[in-house]
Amino acid sequence: MILLKNATLVHLHPAEVIPGVDIVIDGTEIQSVGRAAGEGLKPTRSIDLAGRVVMPGLVCGHDHFYSGLSRGIMATIAPCPDFVSTLQNLWWRLDRALDADTVRLSGLVCALEAVKAGCSAVIDHHASPTFIDGSLSTLKEGFEKAGLRGILCYETTDRNGRDGARKGVEENQRFARLVEEEKKRSGKQRLVEAMIGGHAPFTLSDEDLTALAEVVARSGRGFHVHVAEDSFDSSWSHRLHGKDALARLNDFGLISESSIIGHGLYLTEEDRKILNARGAYMAHNSRSNMNNNVGYNSALPHVKNVVLGTDGIGSDMLLEAKFAYFRHRDSGGPLGPGAFMRFLQSGNELLHRSFGESFGKIEKGYKADLVVLDYDSPTPLMRENVAGHVIFGMGSRDVNTVIVNGRIVMENRTFPWDVAPVYAEAQAAARLLWKKMDRL
Ligand SMILES: [Zn+2]
């Protein structure tokens, strides 16, 4: 049992600020919350937070831990005048260069970085075409070593031939089975769940979609895919299949309330109607969209379920929320800061749909996934202005302690094990990876 004393409880959406509360954690869940809730208890750990902010842990709704060794990349990258050449010249060379060891290191450093930024969970979309079989288990080990919760999938694609597509489907199926077995064995103790992944409609044939739909139906897991990130995906779908990109996926039964659609910039109005009717989630990644110059998703106000993701640019969700808000303002959009808190909160609903447990509130019976911040507020912090504090102030620099599944995974900005060798190993591996890319 862990007792957090004298916390300032903050919920982002619906907004709430309650100073002076105790939070009692028993096992993987919150047992009680309130003034003097810990009185008379004999916890194994008692931590006086002296008024520090405690929030539900942040959730990244769309990420790529395979890109962890690409920061500051010094491989030779040919000019990328459009989106598809960016994929061909950079990302598809990087993912082909990954092997078991670089997937392991990339995943582990990304998991550590996510915890440092206040994340308690990351929903990942993985690719490593020369190391497919077992890749999700390798990634899972990194999540578990860092203590981070995750939902993993393999992004099936036919860009490396029929055999590559088949192996992608099989890895999703294998991993979903493994997670299902673990669920039966260890229940609430498990940290990692599965989704079924596809890269994007323009690299998935009808045969691939049929195979993926079978795995989705058999596993009971949702589908995670990029759709209409660039106009190319939409044009390709019309040219080859005579359908809108999302409508095509829907025809295969792949769009449900457990699905995540990455980006969705070029969804048609009909596509958005399907997305909303099915209750699926759209992952919005504003920094990635700006970096790839694919345009802006001005339809955010018309999508029912929006979650924020980083698309591989770290997992700093407090920063991502700021970019998402400022880019929206820059486009003349109508949404205020509060809408972006709702988008942040949506990640917890996705966790609920995958794990079947309660996430995203500091209340009895909810999972003990929490972040403690050293937020020195220069102005009053109140229910009415929480969103303003997040957009204009609170940052990952304030993250002090992270608790996931009732376990303290980072305390006072320190992991309970020496992470320095991991970073050293990752730096050495990154150099070799970049050299390998130059030969591909
Ligand atoms: Zn992505």
Side-chain angles (χ1 to χ4, degrees), residues 1 3 5 22 24 31 36-43:
M1 182 184 284
L3 170 60
K5 286 165 64 180
D22 292 350
V24 180
Q31 190 190 65
E39 248 176 43
L41 296 175
K42 289 189 178 138

Side-chain angles (χ1 to χ4, degrees), residues 265 284-296 313 320 322-328 330:
L265 271 72
H284 177 57
N285 313 273
S286 63
R287 286 186 294 170
S288 166
N289 293 162
M290 285 188 270
N291 185 44
N292 288 330
N293 187 30
V294 289
Y296 179 63
I313 310 178
E320 191 65 41
K322 290 172 177 61
F323 271 89
Y325 172 75
F326 293 131
R327 181 65 185 88
H328 185 74
D330 189 48

Side-chain angles (χ1 to χ4, degrees), residues 56-131:
L58 296 157
V59 181
C60 178
H62 178 77
D63 211 335
H64 299 287
F65 276 11
Y66 73 78
S67 70
L69 303 182
S70 70
R71 195 184 297 176
I73 193 163
M74 287 168 68
T76 308
I77 312 290
C80 304
D82 57 33
F83 175 66
V84 175
S85 58
T86 305
L87 294 176
Q88 287 173 333
N89 297 342
L90 173 57
W91 298 115
W92 293 353
R93 279 170 69 217
L94 175 86
D95 68 20
R96 285 203 308 276
L98 291 167
D99 58 18
D101 201 44
T102 38
V103 166
R104 176 183 68 81
L105 282 164
S106 186
L108 181 53
V109 286
C110 284
L112 294 171
E113 294 281 294
V115 170
K116 286 199 269 186
C119 274
S120 57
V122 169
I123 301 175
D124 195 70
H125 196 245
H126 177 68
S128 52
T130 44
F131 168 54

